[in-house]
Amino acid sequence: MRAVREKTPGLAAAASTRRSFVTVTGAAAALALTGALTSGDDATAAAAAAAAARVDRRPLFTLGVASGDPLPDTVVIWTRLAPEPLAPFGGMDRGPVEVRWEVSETESFGRIVRRGTATARPEYAHTVHVDVRGLRPWRHYFYRFRVGGQLSPVGRTRTAPAPEDRLTSMTLAFASCQAWFEGFYTAHADLARRDHDVVLFLGDYIYEFGADKGIRPGSGDLHATRQTVTLDEYRERYALYKLDPDLQAAHACAPWIVTMDDHEVVDNWADEIPHPGGPADQFLVRRANGFRAYWEHMPLRLAQRPTGPDMRLHRRLRYGTLVELSILDTRQYRSDQAMGDGIKPPNPGSLDPARTLTGDEQERWLLDGLAASRTRWNVLGQQNAMARLEMVPGPERGVPMDTWDGYAASRDRVLGGAHERGVRNLISLGGDLHRSVASDLKLNFDDPGSATVGTEFVGTSISSGMDGMDHDEDGLTLLAENPHIGYHNVQRGYVSCRITPDEWTSDYRVADRVTTPGGRMSTRARLVVENGRPGIQHA
């Protein structure tokens, strides 16, 4: 969902050939599309050691650390070497650098359980993704990196429990939509102060377009105002966002599980179709650049590394017998938005059973996984609102074509398929709307008396949309026209969840302001779902 009007002209004006869309700096030009890894050898190791000696005195860990995708015996740890984060290659020499890493059971690193070395390569913007193996299930660990005499900040992470562990409780937070130029990351600071076992980020980590204006110092600088098209520009935009200390703190406090939405590439893109329109062949090069920079800057495994404009992001993670998370990708395989996008009445396009939001393969993967699940709670981590969002008051109809409303048959197949398979305790977590919306998921949204087959919590934005308010006109319309919606708010924030075998509790944490530093966070609503009883209850 767009935060402000796009300033920069469209793709055709930005460049005229495929080559123009790919950065022309070093080996990254070719590798942006191939995804190939440089092979290691003695010469490479020697060059990495020499490079480490050269950069020993420069500040390297300016973008912090992160961890992600926890499994019972492994977790990914991440950092990037960037002494000049907003310069090409982060200001690094164009050679490999040897990075040492350590994982400890104590924050003082008195009990180091794993250590090793990794090579930060220039073709990957000197990022490091280490899949640390041999860890114990459901344990907190601390990690750090070292180059020469420099130490990174310390991060804390946690592995997942063993598949058959019977957890009595766990905590997770989920968030999305953090337009840097529209607000300070007050919500991330609050998230970092609270104890969560895992954090889900559901899209719009960056915004690709140039802002006309912004509230932060530096919002008028070129690195914030130009539209991202080349690989270097996407890398620069991630560096800009990751320089924020509150975002760094949120990454360092817990492992993250991430998926992207649209602004990691371009607003409201769909499969191979850019929005606003542009030549499809040029868009695929831009998509490859966006995917490459995304993978480089997220704590993701090599399995998620893109191959050109393709990247598999849908995956499944399990927390003992308590929770199974199905992380979806609702951009890469979707049909084009019906009727040119926007708010439209249900129409032949939005109702066409041949159209899809997830693609056929991902839909089968999702339903097969839900049918096979033996956990208490079955969770969809995805980008959009699944519930119907009637947004026109009175007898006229109007729903957003970019959400599941624009792909009604996809929604019917997923919700109906889950119901037919006897899936219990279905929870959908979404974002993108820049507002909080909690809903009962109905088997038939045209019939308020239809069976409730699940519950949806859509979180607001971290900063996109600036301060917001309790309700706006659209929110009042949503509450009036959609009897399945049980909660709405338009302030900034995130959602903190506590899960037990008996209850799912979602605390909507909101900020009184984000347009100036020092905003205060509070719990605006506490919503509960009981085991075996789908639907929202106010605590």
Side-chain angles (χ1 to χ4, degrees), residues 194 438 457 486-487 495-498 503-510 522-529 536-539:
R194 294 163 68 89
F457 300 106
Y487 170 71
V495 185
S496 177
C497 305
R498 183 175 186 273
E503 286 186 344
W504 179 295
T505 303
S506 290
D507 286 353
Y508 276 85
R509 301 283 293 170
V510 302
S522 62
T523 297
R524 176 63 181 80
R526 174 167 291 173
L527 307 177
V528 174
V529 183
I536 298 163
Q537 300 178 57
H538 288 257

Side-chain angles (χ1 to χ4, degrees), residues 317-332:
L317 298 100
R318 182 171 172 177
Y319 278 77
T321 61
L322 187 61
V323 171
E324 187 165 80
L325 298 163
S326 296
I327 306 300
L328 304 187
D329 174 355
T330 62
R331 284 290 163 194
Q332 199 170 173

